[in-house]
Amino acid sequence: SSDVCSSDLTFGVDSYEPNKIWYEENFNHLAENLLKIGIAKSIFLVAHPSRKDYVDRIISLNKKVNYIDCSQIRLLEFCSVVLKSSMYIGNDSGPLNLSAILGVKCFGLIGPTSASVHKLPNIFIIKSKDYDGEVEKDATKKVYLTEISLNK
């Protein structure tokens, strides 16, 4: 859907690499702001089934947000959820890339990986304030997503 007023959104909230994960409080704060300005009505929370605890923590932070737990869905169900969403916002992980391939507008939260690997035109990169380009040359450099603020 291209409608950006009061739509469903998807948040990808986990990663296999802990330094790629944005804090649950940040996702919740972002959700509150998006609801306040009328961009979101429901937010699908996507995570690997083994990381349901991330989804549960986000849901527990605010009962006023219409969060929908999608941590137990399979790949085809994930595609259906994402295609119902006006945008995908998430950590640098497989679901971000799959959402982009499906043609959904994506906002990728990038910290420790090279932003240049994201070539799809519908992935808008949001980098950590500590992202200095050295990650492009040195994959061992640690940059954490906790440094991305909502002011971006």
Side-chain angles (χ1 to χ4, degrees):
S1 166
S2 61
D3 179 17
V4 290
C5 295
S6 195
S7 299
D8 295 328
L9 307 178
T10 300
F11 285 177
V13 300
D14 76 331
S15 173
Y16 284 109
E17 299 173 65
N19 60 328
K20 288 186 175 185
I21 297 174
W22 206 33
Y23 286 149
E24 294 91 334
E25 294 82 9
N26 292 339
F27 277 112
N28 182 63
H29 191 65
L30 177 60
E32 289 173 345
N33 286 333
L34 293 172
L35 287 166
K36 196 180 303 180
I37 61 174
I39 289 181
K41 64 177 181 181
S42 299
I43 298 174
F44 299 110
L45 298 175
V46 174
H48 188 272
S50 67
R51 292 181 173 78
K52 181 176 174 20
D53 57 315
Y54 292 126
V55 170
D56 291 342
R57 278 196 297 269
I58 293 170
I59 291 170
S60 73
L61 290 171
N62 191 334
K63 298 298 181 194
K64 294 179 186 172
V65 176
N66 186 22
Y67 288 125
I68 300 162
D69 180 352
C70 295
S71 63
Q72 304 301 304
I73 64 175
R74 297 181 182 271
L75 181 61
L76 288 177
E77 294 167 305
F78 168 80
C79 293
S80 177
V81 163
V82 169
L83 288 169
K84 291 178 190 170
S85 300
S86 62
M87 69 180 78
Y88 178 96
I89 302 168
N91 301 317
D92 182 18
S93 62
L96 169 67
N97 295 299
L98 181 53
S99 298
I101 289 168
L102 291 171
V104 175
K105 179 188 279 186
C106 297
F107 293 88
L109 305 170
I110 307 298
T113 47
S114 170
S116 66
V117 301
H118 297 284
K119 304 282 188 211
L120 294 168
N122 55 326
I123 297 181
F124 300 90
I125 302 299
I126 301 171
K127 298 177 190 173
S128 168
K129 71 177 177 131
D130 291 336
Y131 189 99
D132 61 6
E134 288 300 308
V135 177
E136 306 290 337
K137 300 178 201 121
D138 181 2
T140 64
K141 185 176 171 83
K142 293 291 181 196
V143 177
Y144 291 85
L145 276 183
T146 56
E147 301 302 324
I148 294 178
S149 73
L150 291 176
N151 296 329
K152 276 233 163 204

